[in-house]
Each structure stands twice: as structure tokens, then as C-alpha cells.
Amino acid sequence: MSDLLITDCSVGNRHSLDIRISDGVITEVGRRLARRGEDILDADGNQVIPGLCDHHIHLQALAARRSSVECGPPAVRNAHELAAALQGSPGSDGWVRGVGYFESVAGDLDRDALDHLHASRPVRIQHRSGAMWVLNTAGVVAARLGQADHPGVERDGAGRPTGRVWRADSWLRAQIPGNSPPSLRDVGTELSRLGVTAVTDATPDLAPESTESICAAISLGDIPQRVHLLGVPLGASVPSTGPTVGPYKIVLADSGLPDLEQLATLIESAHSIGRPVAAHSVSREALLILLSVLGEIGTIPGDRIEHGALIPVESITEINRLGLAVVTQPGFIADRGDDYLEHVAAIDHQDLYRCRSLLDAAVPVAFSSDAPYGPLDPWSVIAASQTRLTPAGTVLGGAETIDYNTALAAYLGSPEDPGGPPRRVEVGAAGDLVLISPTQSPSVLATVIGGKQIY
């Protein structure tokens, strides 16, 4: 926490304002405020807005991606290019870590297919959805998958590991000796540059060492942002000076949709201790299962849908009735829209990453990146929600476009209330602010967290 005076700024339609922040909280907003020895940030007439909150991100996966091999479009488009990328990985031994794989490159990968591409070093490649890792034979041996007793380890009819490991990031990391969580310093710096002052880490089932790593990064200042965690196991806690604990993350995985009774029991367990749920839903089937269960057992304030990648129009009324918020990522339209046009059934195109129709039905909507699986830059996500343009320039779901102010508001809800009332620059609010140029495509000029200029 620091004391800061921001001078000559605009807030909405009010100009030539000063903003005083003391002990991390806005204490005065007015013209020509007296200097009291604080640090000074001259805004030079530019706009001050509340800091942005990325309501769904994966901090450690984002950090790890920086030292990984890109294995999917646009960097890699076919098997030959994938083999070359793996061969070109730095070092002559040790693991090759690949990310961003998509089936259009070389089909459905397993250990045998991956061996044909690279066999000399242990390799693990993550699917671009983040749902699956594929290991070659050297990787299967090094990670001891043959002896592993984990439901995410896929096996063939003879009990042999196929090399595919489903939704087991923390567990797989622990299987690899010396594979400690990565430094988060560069991630914190990049988020600050983008005007993000708070994040919700949506990684499910965080292992203790992962939670400890995030807490350490906050303590060291590597992550200056306020951090909200969804993946803390039920009954677990975090240090009071570290991140806050949010709803309990539940993954309704298309690779194995849950039993309705088991899902109901899990949600009721969270609700019984007053903890809402954040349910990962990217398919029509997963959403219908979730709504069916919640319709039977009821909801509590804070229950939310993560992604909402496919929401049939007939489900919107039920989402509203149940009081659910939707934390979605329209940035995927700009990032993968052409793939959706090719691989998603045409009947589903209008249901992808809805915005306008949810808001019109009074469903709270919050935006996020899902980085590293989606684009991190919140300003590109805001632009995508306004245009709905795919990389090739095709409009996908044009009826779902929203205006700039509405899109910006989807980043301004508090971490505890995504899609709720946007935070405002006013006395009593936290001193988490962003200075932007007042243009159609804003650029971040400075970022302040707790009254301290971070960027």
C-alpha cells in the first residue's frame, strides 16, 4: 500500500481531476487537490478507470507456456512442422514441453504417433483446450505412467498407457522429478502492462505446492495483482495475507461427463460449507446436465458457469431463473473462430460464446481470457466482443455483439461478483486504477494497485 496523487485526469465526463489514494484506498476526488508529499502521477488529461479483473485465468500454465514449444496453428500446421518444432526444442536432453496442439496438425495423437515425430527425448504435448496431455514412450517411462493409479491416465484394452493423460496437470507435474512450479514474475509484469489489477485463477484441484507457489509469488511481489482462487479443495484454506478463496471449481469434462447423482453430491458438499461452485461447461451436453442438477438441488449466491462456450437459446431463461452468472471468453472468436466454422456444427454457431442475448435476459456476464488457452490481452477480448470477427474476417454470431462500454464493464466486476455492478472511481474504492488513452482502441499508460504505480 502506498500514498499517491494522480493529477490532471479524466473520470468519465469529468475532466481536470485529481485523485488521492491513501493506505491503498481512494480518499479524495476533486480539482487542484493539495500536495501532501505523496508520489505524483501526472495523467496529462488521460482517462482513469478501475483496474480490470481477468475472471478466469491459469497463472502457472501461462508462466510455463513461455518456456514451451508451440505445437499448433498458426505456428505449426502439419506433422512435418510439428516434428521440426519438437526437434528444435532447446537442449539436447531432458523433457520437451509442447503446448497448443490441435488435431488439424497431425490427427489424434497418442504415444505411438508421437514416437514417429520425436522419440529421442521424453515429450509431453498439451492439447490447446488444456484438457489433455499426450506423452511419447520416453515420456510415459519417465513419468512412470505404467505404474500410475490415476483415473486420468488412459489405457488401451491390454492395460498399456496410451500416452494420453486427462485433466491431471498438478498430478502429472508431480510425476516428473524436479518439475517445480514456474516463476510468476513475468506473468505479473505482463498483466500489469495490460491494466489487469485482479485475477481469478480457475485451475481446478490445485495441489498444495501450486497454492504455496502462488502465495509465495504474491508475498514476493512477483504477482502484484489481487488473486482469487477457484481450485482450492473443499475444506482447505490459504494464508490470510495471500489470495482469497472463491467458488469451488468443478469440471464437467466432455471426455467423461459426470454421473448426475455424483455431481449433485459434490455440489451439495460445496454448498453445505457456504461455498458456491464454478462449473466448467463447454458443450451443450455439459450445460444441460449442470442445469438439470442445479434445478433439482438449488443454487446459492455466487454459483457460476465457466466458459458457456455453447449455450442454446432455450437454456438462457433457466440460467436466469437459477441466478447463475456466466464467465465467458469472446476472445476465442477472434482466436479460433475459423476453426469453429469448420469443425463445429452449423446449427451451433449462433450459440458460441453468447454475450448480447445473455445480457438482454439479465444474466450477469463477466469476461476473461482463459490464458494461456485463450488470448491474454483484455483489450483484444473487448474488441472481439464488439466485432465477433474470426481471424479470416468472417462475422461469427453477429447478433451477440455488444458496445465498448458494455464490454469494458464485463472486466470491471469484483472478483467476488463477476458480472456484478462495475467498480467505480470514487471515494472509498480500492486504489486499483488504470490510466488509458481516450481512444477507440485504448492503450494502457499506467497501472496502479493499492495506490502503488506498478506499471
Side-chain angles (χ1 to χ4, degrees):
M1 300 295 183
S2 299
D3 291 349
L4 179 70
L5 185 66
I6 304 175
T7 61
D8 188 22
C9 67
S10 297
V11 177
N13 293 322
R14 301 171 66 197
H15 306 292
S16 302
L17 295 177
D18 296 346
I19 301 171
R20 174 169 281 119
I21 303 171
S22 300
D23 295 326
V25 176
I26 299 174
T27 56
E28 289 184 83
V29 179
R31 290 187 171 88
R32 294 183 291 277
L33 298 182
R35 272 59 168 167
R36 296 177 182 170
E38 312 102 325
D39 292 334
I40 301 292
L41 171 58
D42 182 0
D44 195 25
N46 287 293
Q47 191 82 19
V48 170
I49 63 172
L52 278 59
C53 178
D54 189 325
H55 293 282
H56 184 121
I57 194 173
H58 303 273
L59 293 171
Q60 291 172 329
L62 182 58
R65 191 176 188 117
R66 295 172 178 269
S67 59
S68 301
V69 178
E70 292 293 337
C71 295
V76 169
R77 297 189 177 276
N78 55 54
H80 176 75
E81 291 180 357
L82 177 57
L86 297 174
Q87 184 63 37
S89 176
S92 58
D93 57 9
W95 281 87
V96 177
R97 185 185 193 275
V99 294
Y101 182 78
F102 187 59
E103 288 80 5
S104 63
V105 174
D108 293 321
L109 284 185
D110 60 14
R111 67 188 286 181
D112 296 325
L114 195 47
D115 282 346
H116 286 294
L117 297 169
H118 193 96
S120 60
R121 296 167 62 184
V123 176
R124 66 189 190 279
I125 295 179
Q126 189 179 43
H127 190 271
R128 75 173 185 182
S129 66
M132 178 183 69
W133 287 92
V134 182
L135 286 68
N136 66 355
T137 296
V140 167
V141 172
R144 300 159 294 176
L145 294 192
Q147 297 78 43
D149 181 20
H150 189 282
V153 177
E154 182 181 282
R155 299 179 184 275
D156 61 20
R160 173 179 177 263
T162 66
R164 296 177 178 176
V165 181
W166 294 89
R167 299 202 175 277
D169 285 16
S170 296
W171 176 86
L172 183 59
R173 184 187 300 118
Q175 291 291 109
I176 301 172
N179 188 33
S180 58
S183 168
L184 297 176
R185 179 181 292 275
D186 288 346
V187 169
T189 299
E190 180 71 1
L191 289 168
S192 299
R193 185 185 68 80
L194 294 170
V196 176
T197 62
V199 296
T200 294
D201 187 290
T203 306
D205 300 320
L206 283 170
E209 60 269 21
S210 294
T211 303
E212 291 167 6
S213 173
I214 293 172
C215 290
I218 295 171
S219 177
L220 292 169
D222 289 352
I223 291 288
Q225 287 75 24
R226 303 179 192 273
V227 179
H228 203 52
L229 299 179
L230 303 186
V232 177
L234 294 178
S237 61
V238 299
S240 59
T241 56
T244 55
V245 176
Y248 178 59
K249 177 73 175 290
I250 295 176
V251 176
L252 282 71
D254 295 327
S255 56
L257 290 170
D259 174 84
L260 269 66
E261 290 187 6
Q262 292 176 344
L263 178 60
T265 298
L266 182 58
I267 294 174
E268 287 177 325
S269 296
H271 285 178
S272 70
I273 60 173
R275 194 167 170 191
V277 296
H280 166 110
S281 171
V282 298
S283 69
R284 186 184 300 265
E285 294 78 10
L287 179 65
L288 294 179
I289 287 172
L290 175 66
L291 296 181
S292 175
V293 169
L294 291 176
E296 287 292 325
I297 67 174
T299 58
I300 65 173
D303 284 339
R304 56 196 257 190
I305 297 170
E306 302 297 310
H307 306 297
L310 276 172
I311 298 181
V313 65
E314 59 269 19
S315 297
I316 296 176
T317 300
E318 181 67 357
I319 292 171
N320 171 267
R321 187 187 73 80
L322 292 170
L324 300 171
V326 176
V327 178
T328 192
Q329 299 91 29
F332 279 124
I333 298 295
D335 190 54
R336 305 181 186 175
D338 296 317
D339 288 337
Y340 295 151
L341 289 172
E342 181 177 355
H343 299 289
V344 175
I347 195 174
D348 290 332
H349 289 174
Q350 71 272 18
D351 297 333
L352 286 164
Y353 295 100
R354 289 182 178 274
C355 296
R356 179 78 273 159
S357 56
L358 293 173
L359 291 167
D360 286 346
V363 173
V365 174
F367 284 175
S368 59
S369 65
D370 196 24
Y373 312 113
L376 176 64
D377 184 350
W379 306 99
S380 71
V381 176
I382 288 170
S385 71
Q386 295 175 261
T387 66
R388 307 283 296 194
L389 290 176
T390 72
T394 302
V395 175
L396 178 54
E400 296 297 325
T401 58
I402 56 178
D403 62 50
Y404 168 79
N405 288 326
T406 302
L408 178 61
Y411 270 108
L412 298 184
S414 72
E416 296 81 10
D417 188 19
R423 290 168 291 113
R424 301 178 61 180
V425 180
E426 60 187 2
V427 172
D432 301 345
L433 303 171
V434 180
L435 181 66
I436 61 172
S437 59
T439 64
Q440 288 295 98
S441 301
S443 59
V444 174
L445 305 175
T447 300
V448 174
I449 301 178
K452 181 177 181 182
Q453 186 176 347
I454 302 298
Y455 168 77

